[in-house]
């Protein structure tokens, strides 16, 4: 009985997990994994206190959830499902992210930041990355979202900061894995 | 003192305290000086909701503060329409955070428990940026019911009102209200009325 209870608790806790794996060193990588490297910047950045997260949502502090999908769709903020959360890349805002790509070719369908338990801000997507079967790691660029005082997105562009990202990548994963530049491009192309 | 007297005193005290909220800081402190404060006003048409507006709250987005909610004064104006106003808003970025309403079967009896309508932080609907002390117009909005599927929660939208009352008429109604209870603030409204309704 205790064993069943323990397994049930583990299953419930694992169901709370979402998104793809973030990696920090070569030891975290499994054969066939593709590492996705990039960054998301907010302009202006969030001020201290703008995210009001309780103890349960602390893991969302300074984090942006990037939605990926094989479908060419945009995320519907009013109808986000568990399936959408399964392939989310969790990126620190303003910092480089290193995550295992859910697919070799996929679309960025939007992004979301939790401000508090009831409020989130949504960011548009509309880009695509493509990796080959030989790629072990790709750099997709820095997405810069410009916002106004009401959290409306008034501008967005993808910036190439490969040199900086590659330095950080080599520091974490060594020189055994090559980081190929494969910047995000318009999903419609 | 019988029970009816006590209830009457409590009700009067509550209504008086709610009337004075528009002169208070977020957090309930009394505003000492209105020199650096602004008047903010707008209008909501609740026809489609059917609810009587009972509360509206503005949230300060910038600069980030702990005490950031400002309760607005409410004046019924035109059929199912309500003027929202506050005469003591500091500089900053504000947004209508939510409002509440209730419905009654007859006059003031058999009323429901009320409904709270939250607005998302993202989006400029009901937003205002106060840069300098003055009078700021929040906009005129219309409550719009959004059809949802059977298993979905209720949704609504605030759209721009098609035929809102004139800004001058709104300021006049606020002016009348202030003359009645707080004549010392009526001069500020008169200035706004002469400058065609503020920014």
């Amino acid at each position: 009985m205790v064993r069943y209870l323990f397994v049930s608790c583990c299953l419930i806790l694992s169901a709370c997990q979402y998104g793809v794996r973030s990696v920090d060193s070569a030891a975290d990588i499994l054969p066939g994994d593709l590492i996705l490297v990039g960054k998301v910047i907010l302009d202006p950045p969030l001020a201290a206190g703008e995210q009001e997260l309780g103890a349960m949502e602390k893991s969302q502090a300074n984090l942006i959830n990037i939605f990926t999908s094989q479908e060419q769709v945009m995320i519907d903020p009013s109808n986000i499902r568990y399936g959408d959360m399964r392939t989310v890349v969790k990126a620190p805002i303003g910092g480089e992210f290193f995550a295992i790509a859910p697919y070799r070719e996929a679309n960025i369908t939007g992004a979301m930041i939790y401000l508090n338990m009831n409020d989130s801000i949504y960011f548009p997507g509309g880009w695509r990355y493509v990796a080959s079967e030989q790629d072990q790691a790709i750099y997709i660029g820095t997405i810069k979202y410009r916002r106004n005082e009401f959290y409306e997105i008034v501008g967005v562009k993808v910036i190439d900061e490969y040199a900086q990202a590659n330095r950080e990548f080599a520091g974490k994963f060594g020189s055994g894995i090559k980081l190929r530049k494969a910047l995000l491009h318009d999903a419609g192309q | 003192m019988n029970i009816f007297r006590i209830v009457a005193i409590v009700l009067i005290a509550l209504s008086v305290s709610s009337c004075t909220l528009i002169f208070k800081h977020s957090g309930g402190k009394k505003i000492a000086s209105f020199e650096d404060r602004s008047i903010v006003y707008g209008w909501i048409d609740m026809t489609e909701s059917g609810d009587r507006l009972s509360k509206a709250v503005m949230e300060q987005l910038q600069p980030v503060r702990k005490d950031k909610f400002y309760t607005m004064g409410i004046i019924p104006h035109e059929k199912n329409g309500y003027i929202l106003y506050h005469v003591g808003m500091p500089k900053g970025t504000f947004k209508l955070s939510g409002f509440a309403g209730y419905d009654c079967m007859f006059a003031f009896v058999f009323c429901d428990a009320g409904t709270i309508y939250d607005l998302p932080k993202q989006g400029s609907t009901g937003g205002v940026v106060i840069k300098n002390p003055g009078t700021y117009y929040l906009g005129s909005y219309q409550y719009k019911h959004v059809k949802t599927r059977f298993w979905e929660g209720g949704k609504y939208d605030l759209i721009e009102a098609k035929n809102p009352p004139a800004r001058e008429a709104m300021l006049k109604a606020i002016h009348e209200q202030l003359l009645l209870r707080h004549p010392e603030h009526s001069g500020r409204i008169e200035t706004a009325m002469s400058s065609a309704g503020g920014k």
Side-chain angles (χ1 to χ4, degrees):
Chain A
M1 183 65 194
V2 175
R3 241 180 281 169
Y4 285 124
L5 204 63
F6 178 72
V7 170
S8 304
C9 285
C10 287
L11 283 173
I12 290 167
L13 285 175
S14 65
C16 297
Q17 294 289 328
Y18 73 93
V20 296
R21 265 188 305 134
S22 291
V23 286
D24 208 36
S25 70
D28 298 336
I29 302 159
L30 301 171
D33 275 351
L34 169 72
I35 310 169
L36 215 53
V37 181
K39 195 198 278 186
V40 181
I41 300 175
L42 276 191
D43 177 26
L46 290 180
E50 256 182 285
Q51 271 189 304
E52 301 165 289
L53 303 166
M56 294 291 279
E57 311 98 41
K58 268 280 177 263
S59 61
Q60 293 295 324
N62 201 41
L63 191 85
I64 183 161
N65 297 287
I66 307 166
F67 293 97
T68 62
S69 170
Q70 286 183 303
E71 308 288 322
Q72 197 181 315
V73 290
M74 283 283 206
I75 202 80
D76 176 5
S78 64
N79 193 22
I80 290 179
R81 297 164 182 197
Y82 178 71
D84 300 320
M85 300 303 289
R86 221 167 37 84
T87 53
V88 152
V89 173
K90 292 179 269 185
I93 305 167
E96 221 74 51
F97 65 82
F98 304 90
I100 299 300
Y103 313 105
R104 293 254 150 198
E105 285 183 34
N107 299 299
I108 305 289
T109 57
M112 172 182 69
I113 294 175
Y114 282 102
L115 286 181
N116 57 43
M117 214 170 92
N118 305 315
D119 251 312
S120 314
I121 42 177
Y122 294 90
F123 300 84
W127 304 284
R128 186 170 177 78
Y129 69 80
V130 180
S132 69
E133 282 303 316
Q134 291 76 42
D135 283 328
Q136 281 186 289
I138 57 165
Y139 171 71
I140 59 169
T142 296
I143 307 171
K144 186 176 181 180
Y145 286 110
R146 213 151 50 77
R147 65 180 177 110
N148 67 10
E149 53 271 78
F150 299 109
Y151 302 108
E152 289 172 321
I153 309 308
V154 292
V156 55
K157 61 178 171 183
V158 177
I159 307 165
D160 182 0
E161 291 179 319
Y162 176 76
Q164 189 192 325
N166 196 30
R167 264 198 306 276
E168 213 173 311
F169 180 81
K172 281 179 185 284
F173 301 94
S175 51
I177 304 172
K178 189 180 179 288
L179 179 67
R180 186 175 73 83
K181 192 199 287 188
L183 292 181
L184 290 171
H185 59 269
D186 199 324
Q189 285 173 5
Chain B
M1 201 184 292
N2 68 29
I3 188 77
F4 294 107
R5 269 194 201 165
I6 295 168
V7 169
I9 289 168
V10 168
L11 283 176
I12 290 166
L14 281 174
S15 63
V16 168
S17 67
S18 66
C19 291
T20 57
L21 278 174
I22 55 160
F23 303 103
K24 286 184 177 173
H25 281 292
S26 171
K29 264 194 215 159
K30 206 172 171 190
I31 299 168
S33 163
F34 286 85
E35 268 177 28
D36 59 343
R37 300 294 170 134
S38 296
I39 297 164
V40 172
Y41 71 101
W43 186 76
I44 290 190
D45 177 1
M46 294 290 284
T47 306
E48 205 165 303
S49 154
D51 276 359
R52 302 171 197 191
L53 200 67
S54 57
K55 190 175 182 178
V57 176
M58 293 286 283
E59 180 178 357
Q60 186 167 6
L61 301 181
Q62 291 292 339
V64 178
R65 290 181 42 170
K66 228 174 181 183
D67 293 330
K68 57 182 180 176
F69 293 107
Y70 287 79
T71 304
M72 308 289 281
I74 295 171
I75 305 170
H77 187 73
E78 296 201 350
K79 201 179 174 216
N80 302 319
Y82 298 86
I83 295 169
L84 316 175
Y85 72 107
H86 199 291
V87 297
M89 303 285 268
K91 282 184 201 171
T93 303
F94 294 85
K95 175 164 169 118
L96 191 61
S97 158
F99 51 98
Y102 66 93
D103 195 16
C104 300
M105 202 177 274
F106 308 105
F108 288 98
V109 290
F110 298 121
C111 299
D112 62 22
T115 309
I116 296 169
Y117 303 91
D118 282 326
L119 271 126
K121 271 191 185 178
Q122 191 172 24
S124 55
T125 301
V128 65
V129 181
I130 302 175
K131 288 183 176 154
N132 297 303
T135 304
Y136 292 83
Y137 178 56
L138 201 59
S140 287
Y141 299 99
Q142 186 182 342
Y143 175 98
K144 196 97 191 129
H145 185 72
V146 175
K147 211 172 177 185
T148 52
R149 281 174 283 189
F150 179 74
W151 54 86
E152 276 186 292
K155 282 184 193 168
Y156 78 96
D157 200 3
L158 274 190
I159 60 165
E160 219 163 286
K162 283 176 195 134
N163 297 307
R167 292 190 197 189
E168 289 76 9
M170 291 186 213
L171 285 171
K172 204 176 158 208
I174 299 169
H175 185 248
E176 279 169 16
Q177 190 88 352
L178 289 177
L179 269 182
L180 212 66
R181 293 183 181 138
H182 304 278
E184 68 274 21
H185 291 287
S186 58
R188 295 166 66 208
I189 300 284
E190 281 157 21
T191 313
M193 284 162 84
S194 61
S195 63
K199 293 155 203 164

